[in-house]
Amino acid sequence: MVCAGAFRHRPMGRCPPTPLAGAPLPAPPARVTLGDVPRGLGRAFSPRVTVPRTVLRSAVESLTAPSAAKPGEEDEAASQDETFQWTQNWYPIIPLDLLEESQGQGFDSGLPQIQRQAILGRDIVLWKDAEGKWRAVEDRCSHRLAALSLGSVQEDGTLACRYHGWCFNGKGECTRIPQAVDAASEATACASSRSSVQAFPTLEAHGLLWVWPDDGPSAWEEASSAEPVVGRVQGPKANWGVLDLPVSYITSVENVVDPSHGNFVHEGLTIFGSKFSPRQNRPIDMFKALRRPSAKGGIQLNYTAPSKDDNAAIQTVQFRPPTLTSIQFEPGGMDASFELLWVPLRPGLTRTLVGVSMEPPKASTETKASILRKVVSAMKIIPLIFGIIQTSIVPKFLMHIYQQNYINRQDMMALHSEDLELF
């Protein structure tokens, strides 16, 4: 037997995610197109008006598609109407170095601190088990729905609920019920599907902890054969900045595909050797799609840089669902890729992971270059190199303060006000 009230608040079957106060979050649709996102990802904290929901499709359909598909793009064009499964993808949750540096407080195990996170409006709890693997389960006990993130990691690597001590492994299976009167009744209760909690596959890759937020019967099998969507910032030593913004997922992605805002929103800042100022603004005279939008490849755009300093240089931006946006440009001749990973945490709350890839200048096709051009290029590279060194030696918490107060905060003020009107 187990204590009275066991499973008392647990209905038969899987419980739906707990809705947010004032902002109910319906479950994501099973099949949606590239342009549609789960309802709620675009909703801000304080909706004031009701307007048609903004979708990415409206943004990509307004672009001029290529007149003819290039070699190798036939399959891409044919798949433009395929559906996109939002839950059946890897989502980066947090940089691994932040997890490793966060040691347990008050526990003899010395294991890293339990982390409460969210993905697609669903609360999850992360912890490292006895095998050294990060685990993720829904953050509520199957017994009385208490948050498991309030519990503790046991010597055997299971996660114990703080309320009644029920323990769960990385697969979400209940392994111990302290209130059981004997081993037989405990084994029977633990074997019940009603005692388990929803578990999610995890992956450590490219300096990040990834979660596969699908609760379908084949989730673990599908996750094992899928790779996370990454750009040039990859590998175990990849360095990421992280910041949570009160901005919807849709608005966050659209902001990066809108290069013209930089000279106005970020006025006074110098980033990658270019100083943002309304006086530096120039009209974008070329803005086109390089391929047909698709659920797998997303969208890829070419445009002329909106700054006079960049002399109408061609820049490329690509969005690959569900998280990656990469911007490629050549500051001072360097081959740079500025990459952002967007993680829809809750309605109106998006996590931004920022990484930068720098490669040596590409070989010039010109046999000679004027001394003046060499000097100008060198001057633009100096602040770029200084920024890379600064990122390497400055403590991450100080860089976080810098990002919050100078770059992302400027975006956040404008974008959050936009969300309040749209959603």
Side-chain angles (χ1 to χ4, degrees):
M1 296 179 62
V2 296
C3 67
F7 315 117
R8 176 171 151 197
H9 297 289
R10 176 81 167 184
M12 293 295 292
R14 185 179 299 111
C15 293
T18 302
L20 301 175
L25 182 67
R31 296 176 66 83
V32 291
T33 62
L34 170 67
D36 298 326
V37 298
R39 185 175 301 173
L41 293 188
R43 187 174 300 168
F45 283 133
S46 304
R48 301 194 314 191
V49 296
T50 301
V51 298
R53 185 160 55 98
T54 303
V55 294
L56 293 177
R57 175 179 294 173
S58 62
V60 299
E61 285 186 345
S62 63
L63 302 173
T64 302
S67 55
K70 297 180 180 179
E73 290 188 351
E74 288 80 3
D75 293 338
E76 193 79 32
S79 64
Q80 61 179 322
D81 293 327
E82 67 182 326
T83 56
F84 184 79
Q85 307 294 342
W86 282 92
T87 59
Q88 296 175 13
N89 283 273
W90 287 111
Y91 288 82
I93 291 296
I94 194 169
L96 286 168
D97 59 353
L98 292 182
L99 288 172
E100 298 293 355
E101 293 172 2
S102 179
Q103 296 300 310
Q105 299 177 2
F107 302 112
D108 294 335
S109 65
L111 292 174
Q113 183 181 17
I114 296 169
Q115 297 281 330
R116 190 187 199 209
Q117 302 291 337
I119 181 68
L120 294 174
R122 198 170 195 173
D123 291 324
I124 61 174
V125 57
L126 308 172
W127 82 97
K128 182 177 282 188
D129 65 12
E131 299 177 358
K133 297 181 179 179
W134 284 100
R135 301 296 188 177
V137 301
E138 193 165 16
D139 191 19
R140 58 180 182 179
C141 182
S142 57
H143 178 204
R144 294 288 295 269
L145 307 185
L148 291 174
S149 55
L150 299 174
S152 59
V153 179
Q154 303 301 290
E155 292 183 359
D156 62 356
T158 58
L159 182 62
C161 178
R162 186 180 183 90
Y163 199 6
H164 289 92
W166 288 33
C167 295
F168 303 90
N169 61 21
K171 288 287 188 177
E173 301 164 337
C174 184
T175 62
R176 184 169 185 265
I177 299 178
Q179 294 76 31
V181 296
D182 53 47
S185 62
E186 182 178 40
T188 300
C190 288
S192 171
S193 60
R194 296 177 63 193
S195 69
S196 65
V197 294
Q198 182 62 55
F200 304 101
T202 58
L203 176 68
E204 297 179 35
H206 310 297
L208 299 166
L209 179 64
W210 304 72
V211 174
W212 185 276
D214 186 37
D215 57 9
S218 60
W220 291 77
E221 180 181 355
E222 293 170 348
S224 65
S225 61
E227 295 291 335
V229 175
V230 295
R232 284 177 19 186
V233 182
Q234 54 181 275
K237 296 184 179 179
N239 186 29
W240 298 93
V242 58
L243 190 66
D244 293 352
L245 300 176
V247 178
S248 70
Y249 168 86
I250 294 175
T251 304
S252 297
V253 174
E254 289 182 338
N255 177 59
V256 181
V257 191
D258 172 16
S260 295
H261 79 276
N263 281 316
F264 301 91
V265 173
H266 303 303
E267 180 180 1
L269 291 182
T270 300
I271 304 177
F272 299 114
S274 297
K275 185 173 182 179
F276 289 105
S277 168
R279 292 185 294 275
Q280 292 294 326
N281 183 69
R282 65 176 300 278
I284 295 178
D285 47 30
M286 190 273 288
F287 193 87
K288 67 178 183 180
L290 297 183
R291 63 162 65 110
R292 297 181 185 278
S294 71
K296 182 178 180 180
I299 59 176
Q300 187 172 8
L301 312 170
N302 257 12
Y303 58 88
T304 49
S307 176
K308 296 177 181 178
D309 279 348
D310 294 318
N311 299 315
I314 303 299
Q315 298 182 353
T316 301
V317 60
Q318 181 180 16
F319 171 68
R320 293 181 59 193
T323 62
L324 175 66
T325 298
S326 59
I327 306 173
Q328 297 180 7
F329 52 102
E330 298 181 5
M334 297 288 287
D335 185 11
S337 181
F338 181 65
E339 299 183 355
L340 303 103
L341 299 176
W342 309 102
V343 188
L345 304 180
R346 305 178 188 278
L349 182 63
T350 303
R351 175 161 297 166
T352 308
L353 297 161
V354 184
V356 179
S357 170
M358 300 295 303
E359 296 180 4
K362 296 180 180 179
S364 175
T365 57
E366 299 178 5
T367 56
K368 295 183 180 180
S370 66
I371 296 178
L372 178 60
R373 288 186 60 187
K374 290 182 179 181
V375 171
V376 171
S377 296
M379 292 178 64
K380 295 195 70 173
I381 292 177
I382 290 175
L384 185 62
I385 295 177
F386 176 77
I388 296 174
I389 296 175
Q390 181 187 45
T391 303
S392 302
I393 64 177
V394 174
K396 181 161 287 191
F397 76 92
L398 289 179
M399 291 301 297
H400 179 79
I401 294 174
Y402 169 78
Q403 292 170 347
Q404 181 177 10
N405 289 331
Y406 289 93
I407 303 177
N408 289 291
R409 186 176 181 182
Q410 293 176 325
D411 282 321
M412 176 180 66
M413 294 174 65
L415 299 180
H416 182 61
S417 67
E418 179 181 334
D419 273 348
L420 293 178
E421 295 297 330
L422 288 175
F423 302 106

PDB file of all heavy atoms in Angstrom, residues 19-24:
ATOM      1  N   PRO A  19      -1.555  25.843 -17.500  1.00  0.00           N
ATOM      2  CA  PRO A  19      -1.619  27.102 -18.231  1.00  0.00           C
ATOM      3  C   PRO A  19      -1.035  28.240 -17.423  1.00  0.00           C
ATOM      4  O   PRO A  19      -1.024  28.218 -16.200  1.00  0.00           O
ATOM      5  CB  PRO A  19      -3.127  27.299 -18.458  1.00  0.00           C
ATOM      6  CG  PRO A  19      -3.760  26.523 -17.344  1.00  0.00           C
ATOM      7  CD  PRO A  19      -2.870  25.337 -17.093  1.00  0.00           C
ATOM      8  N   LEU A  20      -0.524  29.238 -18.132  1.00  0.00           N
ATOM      9  CA  LEU A  20      -0.001  30.429 -17.485  1.00  0.00           C
ATOM     10  C   LEU A  20      -1.158  31.285 -17.013  1.00  0.00           C
ATOM     11  O   LEU A  20      -2.199  31.356 -17.655  1.00  0.00           O
ATOM     12  CB  LEU A  20       0.871  31.227 -18.471  1.00  0.00           C
ATOM     13  CG  LEU A  20       2.077  30.465 -19.045  1.00  0.00           C
ATOM     14  CD1 LEU A  20       2.736  31.344 -20.083  1.00  0.00           C
ATOM     15  CD2 LEU A  20       3.048  30.117 -17.935  1.00  0.00           C
ATOM     16  N   ALA A  21      -0.925  31.963 -15.911  1.00  0.00           N
ATOM     17  CA  ALA A  21      -1.963  32.840 -15.387  1.00  0.00           C
ATOM     18  C   ALA A  21      -2.261  33.943 -16.381  1.00  0.00           C
ATOM     19  O   ALA A  21      -1.379  34.690 -16.772  1.00  0.00           O
ATOM     20  CB  ALA A  21      -1.508  33.437 -14.058  1.00  0.00           C
ATOM     21  N   GLY A  22      -3.509  34.033 -16.792  1.00  0.00           N
ATOM     22  CA  GLY A  22      -3.915  35.122 -17.690  1.00  0.00           C
ATOM     23  C   GLY A  22      -3.576  34.876 -19.137  1.00  0.00           C
ATOM     24  O   GLY A  22      -3.898  35.676 -19.987  1.00  0.00           O
ATOM     25  N   ALA A  23      -2.863  33.754 -19.436  1.00  0.00           N
ATOM     26  CA  ALA A  23      -2.490  33.503 -20.822  1.00  0.00           C
ATOM     27  C   ALA A  23      -2.485  32.013 -21.088  1.00  0.00           C
ATOM     28  O   ALA A  23      -1.453  31.377 -21.067  1.00  0.00           O
ATOM     29  CB  ALA A  23      -1.118  34.108 -21.117  1.00  0.00           C
ATOM     30  N   PRO A  24      -3.673  31.401 -21.290  1.00  0.00           N
ATOM     31  CA  PRO A  24      -3.745  29.960 -21.514  1.00  0.00           C
ATOM     32  C   PRO A  24      -2.936  29.577 -22.744  1.00  0.00           C
ATOM     33  O   PRO A  24      -2.928  30.310 -23.744  1.00  0.00           O
ATOM     34  CB  PRO A  24      -5.239  29.715 -21.737  1.00  0.00           C
ATOM     35  CG  PRO A  24      -5.925  30.947 -21.266  1.00  0.00           C
ATOM     36  CD  PRO A  24      -4.951  32.061 -21.369  1.00  0.00           C
TER      37      PRO A  24
END
